[in-house]
Amino acid sequence: MDLKAIIRDVYDFPKKGIVFKDITTLLMHPKAFDQSIDDLCQPFQDKGIELVVGIEARGFLFGGAMARQLGAGFIPVRKPGKLPADIIKETYSLEYGSDTVEIHADAIRLGQKILVVDDLLATGGTAAAAVKLVEKLGGQIAGVAFLIELDFLNGREKLKDYSIHSLIHFNSE
Amino acid sequence: MDLKAIIRDVYDFPKKGIVFKDITTLLMHPKAFDQSIDDLCQPFQDKGIELVVGIEARGFLFGGAMARQLGAGFIPVRKPGKLPADIIKETYSLEYGSDTVEIHADAIRLGQKILVVDDLLATGGTAAAAVKLVEKLGGQIAGVAFLIELDFLNGREKLKDYSIHSLIHFNSE
């Protein structure tokens, strides 16, 4: 099944001039969603992944199903103020301004093998911040998985020390 | 496995006097998370569910894995401004003020059998709004599933016309 063909282009979202890759048309299709989880997990199936770290919010959608498939637990990386217990945080730069993500301070034990997942690799700031949070807690990054990679934004550069697995590539807007 | 025992109480979150039921201790435990998906799906396994509707953000965690287990597609109900294509929305009252949730207008076809899922049934406003969105689009609600129900908040009253399946009950704070 061609997962790329089922992704919908939405023009001028979230602002004029942007072509947004809408994955809801993939999620609503049972076979496409099922296959996307299989394909995202495939390189990591025998790698002893203990925890899948999913990035809020669309990373939760894939991360929960992937954790289950890999026999792993799930850890959320969230926007500020959402996690109830003690957290550590990481702030990263955006084109204009900055953003912050948080993880529970007791989420990961030293040396645990971690797979980080999000729906989209764009400029890579969020994923790189999530990777830093995992490493601050002593986790070992086994890989970083994305449904979609926007190659022309070169987010891969921010994750060059890690194994990146992207299912779908877009080479231009 | 006793899922209830693995949920963590966090005091004074999100504000003083509230005891927050923290599910991240369940999510990080592979067997507990796996069992929670099995148990959430159990009553709906042979009901011909076509779409699982998950409510942002923790409903995504369970909803994605449940859709896969049920051979269904997944539809997100999101906070305002997050869904890229044409939406319909539903506004509901909170203790102070109001909140709004949105769904893509083309997410559901007439008569499709829908399971709505979220992590927590508290006062029931969000879940009732999600149910209304599904029905406005012509979907048929087969049930509403929650990991946790806070019985003392009586949210069940707002969903009394529907089949409610909650795995874990708390009878008092």
Side-chain angles (χ1 to χ4, degrees):
Chain A
M1 174 163 224
D2 183 357
L3 296 180
K4 188 172 182 174
I6 209 171
I7 306 232
R8 169 166 63 179
D9 280 345
V10 178
Y11 291 87
D12 298 327
F13 184 90
K15 57 185 182 184
K16 195 150 177 69
I18 303 284
V19 181
F20 187 84
K21 298 299 176 189
D22 178 16
I23 63 165
T24 63
T25 41
L26 181 151
L27 298 172
M28 74 196 293
H29 192 303
K31 284 188 184 145
F33 180 55
D34 186 57
Q35 183 186 322
S36 73
I37 301 299
D38 274 338
D39 292 353
L40 281 164
C41 290
Q42 192 277 326
F44 306 104
Q45 201 70 54
D46 302 311
K47 293 290 193 296
I49 303 296
E50 295 170 85
L51 294 169
V52 172
V53 169
I55 300 170
E56 184 173 4
R58 285 185 294 261
F60 289 7
L61 269 171
F62 294 94
M66 287 169 69
R68 197 154 184 254
Q69 163 110 357
L70 294 168
F74 178 86
I75 302 290
V77 162
R78 299 205 67 172
K79 298 176 172 70
K82 299 282 190 176
L83 289 169
D86 291 341
I87 57 100
I88 63 166
K89 60 181 145 186
E90 185 70 29
T91 297
Y92 57 98
S93 302
L94 299 173
E95 196 183 355
Y96 305 102
S98 68
D99 222 333
T100 299
V101 285
E102 301 183 344
I103 195 169
H104 270 153
D106 62 356
I108 294 169
R109 293 193 311 277
L110 195 65
Q112 280 191 304
K113 292 185 87 167
I114 313 290
L115 174 60
V116 174
V117 62
D118 204 354
D119 65 323
L120 182 78
L121 175 56
T123 59
T126 315
V131 162
K132 274 189 197 166
L133 288 174
V134 168
E135 293 189 329
K136 278 185 182 173
L137 296 179
Q140 180 191 336
I141 302 287
V144 191
F146 302 96
L147 180 71
I148 298 173
E149 179 171 351
L150 302 181
D151 297 350
F152 54 96
L153 293 178
N154 207 24
R156 181 172 281 264
E157 185 60 29
K158 288 202 185 73
L159 299 166
K160 61 179 182 296
D161 298 331
Y162 305 95
S163 168
I164 303 172
H165 176 52
S166 305
L167 292 194
I168 299 167
H169 292 263
F170 289 98
N171 300 307
S172 67
E173 293 186 58
Chain B
M1 176 162 225
D2 184 358
L3 296 180
K4 188 172 183 175
I6 209 171
I7 304 230
R8 169 165 65 177
D9 280 345
V10 178
Y11 291 86
D12 298 326
F13 184 89
K15 58 186 180 184
K16 196 152 177 68
I18 304 283
V19 181
F20 187 84
K21 299 298 176 189
D22 178 17
I23 64 166
T24 63
T25 41
L26 182 152
L27 298 172
M28 73 196 293
H29 192 303
K31 284 188 186 147
F33 180 55
D34 187 54
Q35 183 185 323
S36 73
I37 301 299
D38 274 338
D39 292 353
L40 281 164
C41 289
Q42 192 277 324
F44 306 103
Q45 201 70 54
D46 302 311
K47 293 291 193 294
I49 302 295
E50 295 171 85
L51 293 169
V52 173
V53 169
I55 300 170
E56 184 173 6
R58 286 185 294 261
F60 288 7
L61 270 171
F62 294 94
M66 288 168 69
R68 200 156 182 252
Q69 163 109 357
L70 294 167
F74 178 86
I75 302 291
V77 162
R78 300 206 65 173
K79 297 177 172 70
K82 300 281 191 176
L83 289 169
D86 291 341
I87 56 100
I88 63 166
K89 60 180 144 186
E90 185 70 29
T91 297
Y92 56 98
S93 303
L94 299 173
E95 197 181 357
Y96 304 102
S98 69
D99 223 334
T100 298
V101 285
E102 301 182 345
I103 195 170
H104 270 152
D106 62 355
I108 294 169
R109 293 192 310 277
L110 194 66
Q112 280 191 304
K113 292 186 87 169
I114 313 290
L115 175 60
V116 175
V117 62
D118 204 355
D119 66 322
L120 181 78
L121 175 56
T123 59
T126 315
V131 162
K132 274 190 198 167
L133 289 174
V134 168
E135 292 188 331
K136 278 185 182 173
L137 295 180
Q140 179 191 338
I141 302 286
V144 191
F146 302 96
L147 181 71
I148 299 174
E149 178 171 352
L150 303 180
D151 297 349
F152 55 96
L153 293 179
N154 206 25
R156 181 171 282 264
E157 184 61 28
K158 288 203 186 73
L159 298 166
K160 61 178 183 296
D161 298 332
Y162 306 94
S163 168
I164 303 173
H165 176 52
S166 304
L167 292 194
I168 300 167
H169 292 264
F170 289 98
N171 302 307
S172 67
E173 292 186 55

